[in-house]
Amino acid sequence: MTVNEQTLNRRTAIGGAAAAGAAVVLATGTPAHADSRAHTAVEPGVVIEEAPATTSGLLAADPQLHLLRRATFGPSPASITEIRALGAAGWLDRQLKPASIDDARLDGLVARLPLAGASIAEVRAKVAAGTLKQFDWTPMWQLAFAAPIRAIWSERQLFEVMVDFWSNHLNVTCPSGDVWDSRADYDRGVIRKYALGTFADLLKASARHPAMLTYLDNRFSTRLAPNENYGRELMELHTVGLEYAESDVKDAARLLTGLTVDNTTGQYRYDAANHVTGAVKILTFTHANATTTGGEAAALAFLDYLAIHPSTARRIATKLCVRFVADVPPPSLVTRLVKVYLDNKSAIGPVLRALFTSSEFAESIGAKTRTPLEDLAATVRILGYGPPPSGTKSYESLYWMARNAGQAPLGWSPPNGYPDVAAAWASPSGLLVRWNFHLSIAAGYWPADLVKPADLLAGTIGARPATYGALIDAGAKRLLGVTLGAEQTAALASFYGKTPASPLKSNDPAAGWMYPYLMAMLLNAPNFALR
C-alpha cells in the first residue's frame, strides 16, 4: 500500500464527517446553476447539453438527462453518449425492445452466479446429486447478489427498471425459506419473461408459479379448508385495490383452490380433487364453476377479468406514475394511461411510451428521489466504473451496501413491495450510509476491484483545470450535470483549505489521491439524490 493510499484510508474515518459538513452547505447554499453554454465536453466522447435554466435549482432542464435519470438506474458516460446520438425518441424505442440490445457483458457477469437463474428442476437436481442441501438458500442469495450487478451494468436499463418494478408489485421475498427452490425460477420465468409484455400474462404466470403460491399460501389451500390469503392480496395488492367485500375474498379463495404445488417435484400443478365447485360472484365476475376439471380454466378467466378491470388499469397506471413521474402522480396523466392500458389489453410497452412522452413527465424534473439501491447503482454508473474482472465478492459487497442503507435487493418482507416515495427513505442514518458508500466506491476502498481509469482525474473530467473552482465546476458538471453556486463551490474548496480562485498545481493532491473526496462530496449533494 502506498503512503497516499494509507493516508486516504486513515482519512476515510474522518473524511465522511468533513464531507458531511460540506454537504450541509451544498444542501443549503446558493442553488446550483446550469452553464449558459449549450454544449460542454466533460470527458472524451461525453457531451452534456444544458439548458440555461434549472428546476428547483438542482437539476438542469435537460429532457434527455431527465429521461436517463428516470428510465435507468442512473446516467452513465456511455448512456449519455448514446442518448445524445439517438435522441430521446430513438433511445426509448431501443430500450422498449430489450431483446435487440446486446447485453453479453452482463450475461458474463451473471454467469459467475450460476444459480441466480436456476430452474426448480435444476435446483432439485443439485440437491439429489448432493451438491446442494435441501432448503439451501444459495440460489436465492445468488439471485439477490445479481440484482445490483444487473442494475449497474446492464445495457437493457429500462427492462431492468421494470423488472425491479414488477418484483415489488408481485413481491415474493428473497431470500425466504419456503421458496428456496423456486424464487430464482420466479425471477426468470415470470418477472423477466413478462416485464415488458402484458400484465394479463404476467399475472397469470405469477398465479401459477410455485413461488407465489407458496409465499401467499395458496399451495396449502384445499377443498375442505380454502385459504383466503392469496385471493385477498391478488385483489388488494396485485389488481383492483381495496374494492372488494369479504364475500368476494371467500369466493376468490374457493375459485383458486386446486392451483397448487407438487410436493415431489416442486412444480406447479392443478389438483382437481382439491378444487371447490359451485357458482361464484367476485366483484362483477360470475362463473358457474360447475366441475372440478374446469376449475383451472375458471380461475384463469377470473385472472383475465382482473387484469383488464378498470380499477386494475388505474392502479397500475398510478404506480407507474409514482415510479417515473412524481410521488403524487398527476391525475390527468393517470387517466390517459388508464385508457392506453385498456385499449392495448394490458400491454405495458404502449403505457410506458405514453408516459415518457407526456407533458407531465417532461415537467416533473426534480420531483422524484432515489431509493438506496438506485443511489448505489447511480453512483457506480455515473463514475463510469467497470465491473470486477473476476469473482463475486464485489457483488456481495454492493448487495450489503444497499442492505445497510435499508434496501436489501428483493428483500422486502411484506407482500406490498418496497415503497417508492421520498418520505419512506428520509432518515439521517440512511443518509449517512449513502454518504459513506459514495466515498468508499469513489476511492476504491470498498469494493476494491471495480475497474477505474488509470488516471482517475483525466478519466473523469478530462484536462486538468487551472484552479480549484474550475476543478469543482468540472467535477460537478460531470457527476451532477450542473455547476454549483458560488457558496457551494467555496464550501468545497474550503475542504482543501483553499478558495475557488486558488491555483491548482501540477502535483496538487486535490487532483490526485484526494480527488475521490471531491467526487464523494459532489455525490453527497442533494442534486444527486434526485432521480
Side-chain angles (χ1 to χ4, degrees):
M1 181 179 289
T2 67
V3 173
N4 284 347
E5 288 171 335
Q6 291 173 347
T7 304
L8 177 59
N9 289 344
R10 287 198 304 270
R11 293 195 63 175
T12 298
I14 60 172
V24 170
V25 179
L26 288 178
T28 59
T30 307
H33 64 277
D35 197 296
S36 59
R37 292 167 292 180
H39 299 78
T40 304
V42 293
E43 71 168 306
V46 178
V47 174
I48 290 182
E49 297 178 7
E50 296 181 355
T54 61
T55 298
S56 302
L58 294 175
L59 297 176
D62 182 321
Q64 293 179 346
L65 291 181
H66 176 47
L67 181 59
L68 287 182
R69 282 192 299 268
R70 298 290 174 84
T72 75
F73 280 95
S76 67
S79 67
I80 294 171
T81 298
E82 180 184 50
I83 201 168
R84 297 307 187 205
L86 297 177
W91 184 89
L92 181 59
D93 284 343
R94 185 168 183 264
Q95 288 291 317
L96 286 171
K97 301 172 184 176
S100 68
I101 301 173
D102 181 10
D103 218 1
R105 180 177 70 165
L106 179 72
D107 292 341
L109 296 175
V110 175
R112 300 179 196 175
L113 300 166
L115 299 179
S119 68
I120 296 169
E122 288 169 338
V123 172
R124 288 186 165 239
K126 289 186 178 297
V127 172
T131 55
L132 280 180
K133 295 180 180 180
Q134 191 173 20
F135 309 118
D136 196 319
W137 283 24
T138 300
M140 293 188 291
W141 280 122
Q142 290 196 5
L143 175 63
F145 292 154
I149 304 309
R150 285 167 160 151
I152 294 167
W153 287 297
S154 176
E155 298 297 327
R156 300 167 180 173
Q157 278 287 298
L158 180 55
F159 173 76
E160 291 297 338
V161 168
M162 290 306 298
V163 166
D164 180 69
F165 176 87
W166 293 124
S167 295
N168 283 295
H169 185 74
L170 298 171
N171 183 43
V172 174
T173 306
C174 177
S176 178
D178 289 342
V179 295
W180 65 277
D181 60 342
S182 60
R183 185 57 180 84
D185 186 81
Y186 180 74
D187 180 79
R188 183 194 64 174
V190 177
I191 302 297
R192 293 183 172 277
K193 184 174 181 179
Y194 299 105
L196 288 174
T198 70
F199 181 65
D201 287 342
L202 176 62
L203 185 67
K204 287 182 289 187
S206 174
R208 290 181 291 173
H209 196 278
M212 181 61 76
L213 292 170
T214 300
Y215 178 66
L216 290 181
D217 300 323
N218 210 73
R219 73 177 295 175
F220 310 113
S221 186
T222 67
R223 178 175 57 84
L224 297 178
N227 188 295
E228 297 178 2
N229 196 27
Y230 178 58
R232 184 182 302 276
E233 306 297 12
L234 172 66
M235 291 186 286
E236 182 173 329
L237 297 180
H238 300 171
T239 57
V240 296
L242 288 167
E243 291 196 5
Y244 59 83
E246 285 305 304
S247 60
D248 296 320
V249 174
K250 292 183 182 302
D251 272 7
R254 292 172 56 234
L255 186 61
L256 294 167
T257 51
L259 275 63
T260 190
V261 181
D262 188 298
N263 289 327
T264 301
T265 66
Q267 304 285 351
Y268 165 78
R269 75 182 179 95
Y270 174 68
D271 181 7
N274 259 317
H275 178 71
V276 180
T277 58
V280 295
K281 180 179 183 299
I282 311 165
L283 304 174
T284 60
F285 173 84
T286 59
H287 199 286
N289 187 32
T291 66
T292 58
T293 55
E296 183 179 33
L300 292 175
F302 174 52
L303 292 165
D304 276 327
Y305 161 84
L306 289 176
I308 59 171
H309 193 286
S311 294
T312 300
R314 183 162 296 277
R315 183 170 184 79
I316 298 298
T318 299
K319 291 189 73 171
L320 287 170
C321 284
V322 169
R323 173 61 183 81
F324 292 113
V325 182
D327 289 0
V328 180
S332 57
L333 178 58
V334 171
T335 297
R336 295 202 307 278
L337 296 185
V338 167
K339 184 177 188 305
V340 175
Y341 178 98
L342 295 173
D343 287 349
N344 288 275
K345 295 180 172 55
S346 82
I348 297 303
V351 178
L352 291 175
R353 186 182 298 279
L355 185 156
F356 288 126
T357 56
S358 69
S359 59
E360 291 90 342
F361 175 78
E363 294 163 1
S364 71
I365 295 175
K368 288 294 298 182
T369 301
R370 286 175 171 145
T371 68
L373 175 59
E374 290 166 350
D375 194 308
L376 178 72
T379 297
V380 181
R381 284 179 60 77
I382 196 61
L383 290 172
Y385 288 0
S390 62
T392 60
K393 287 299 182 184
S394 287
Y395 297 12
E396 297 176 27
S397 296
L398 291 166
Y399 172 89
W400 293 114
M401 282 179 162
R403 182 185 181 278
N404 291 345
Q407 191 181 14
L410 305 176
W412 186 253
S413 293
N416 59 344
Y418 277 113
D420 194 15
V421 293
W425 301 106
S427 76
S429 59
L431 184 62
L432 182 59
V433 172
R434 296 194 198 198
W435 286 357
N436 283 337
F437 71 55
H438 291 159
L439 178 58
S440 293
I441 293 170
Y445 184 64
W446 181 53
D449 58 350
L450 301 186
V451 177
K452 303 182 291 296
D455 183 337
L456 189 57
L457 179 73
T460 306
I461 62 174
R464 181 180 293 267
T467 65
Y468 272 78
L471 175 69
I472 293 165
D473 282 350
K477 186 93 64 167
R478 168 65 172 77
L479 299 178
L480 306 178
V482 294
T483 53
L484 303 176
E487 186 177 357
Q488 296 166 303
T489 302
L492 290 173
S494 70
F495 174 75
Y496 299 100
K498 305 290 184 178
T499 70
S502 298
L504 194 68
K505 300 176 182 179
S506 60
N507 61 345
D508 201 310
W513 68 270
M514 287 187 70
Y515 183 60
Y517 281 97
L518 175 60
M519 294 195 296
M521 288 187 289
L522 289 168
L523 295 172
N524 293 348
N527 315 61
F528 188 73
L530 297 176
R531 181 197 293 163

